[in-house]
């Protein structure tokens, strides 16, 4: 399985909408400069999930609004729970699905909570730090 990093979005604090950057440095603690930079994990979401959500509900949810750090194309992230994979130079282990929460819906619009169940992304533990850039491969 392989895919591509389409976009990277980080925010320095919780209440700020993430902004896109061309690359990030990832340490064992997390992404440098991100609000969750000490959480020890990485969050990813598939562009296909956002497109499917829009088709099913008529609600456009952007990558930045999803609050996930890495947007991918071409790889089923749900299949990576419990598996090792690489994002650019960073080796990860899929820990659990990122299920939507009331906070996400309150920051976006009604319908996001129910519509994004089982397609809101992946939480992954960082095994080997490194760099992730837009255009990098995602390999499982």
């Amino acid at each position: 399985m392989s895919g591509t990093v389409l976009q990277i979005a980080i925010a320095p604090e919780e209440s700020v909408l993430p902004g896109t950057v061309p690359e990030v440095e990832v340490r064992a603690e997390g992404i440098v400069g991100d609000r969750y930079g000490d959480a020890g994990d990485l969050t990813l979401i598939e562009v296909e999930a956002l497109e499917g959500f829009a088709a099913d509900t008529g609600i456009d949810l952007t990558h930045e609004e999803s609050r996930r750090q890495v947007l991918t194309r071409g790889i089923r992230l749900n299949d990576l729970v419990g598996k090792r994979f690489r994002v650019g130079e960073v080796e990860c282990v899929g820990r659990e699905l990122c299920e939507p929460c009331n906070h996400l819906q309150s920051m976006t619009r009604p319908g996001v909570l129910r519509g994004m169940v089982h397609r809101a992304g992946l939480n992954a533990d960082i095994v080997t730090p490194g760099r992730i850039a837009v255009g990098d491969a995602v390999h499982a």
Side-chain angles (χ1 to χ4, degrees), residues 21-123:
V21 295
E23 65 180 45
V24 289
E25 185 66 30
V26 180
R27 297 185 181 148
E29 300 80 27
I31 292 180
V32 175
D34 188 63
R35 67 197 179 282
Y36 296 120
D38 61 353
D41 65 358
L42 187 68
T43 59
L44 305 95
I45 190 165
E46 302 168 27
V47 72
E48 294 90 346
L50 295 175
E51 292 167 347
F53 172 70
D56 292 347
T57 65
I59 300 171
D60 287 322
L61 184 69
T62 68
H63 168 220
E64 296 88 349
E65 288 174 320
S66 78
R67 308 300 236 206
R68 305 302 180 245
Q69 297 159 326
V70 177
L71 180 67
T72 67
R73 177 179 295 283
I75 189 162
R76 294 242 339 122
L77 297 174
N78 287 14
D79 294 345
L80 299 180
V81 174
K83 296 183 178 155
R84 283 187 181 250
F85 64 98
R86 293 188 82 77
V87 182
E89 298 174 352
V90 179
E91 184 177 3
C92 302
V93 174
R95 185 175 16 138
E96 64 187 359
L97 298 181
C98 285
E99 294 295 6
C101 62
N102 287 324
H103 179 67
L104 175 62
Q105 182 164 284
S106 73
M107 297 186 73
T108 54
R109 57 197 70 62
V112 169
L113 182 64
R114 184 183 315 247
M116 289 300 291
V117 170
H118 303 316
R119 59 179 171 188
L122 176 71
N123 277 324

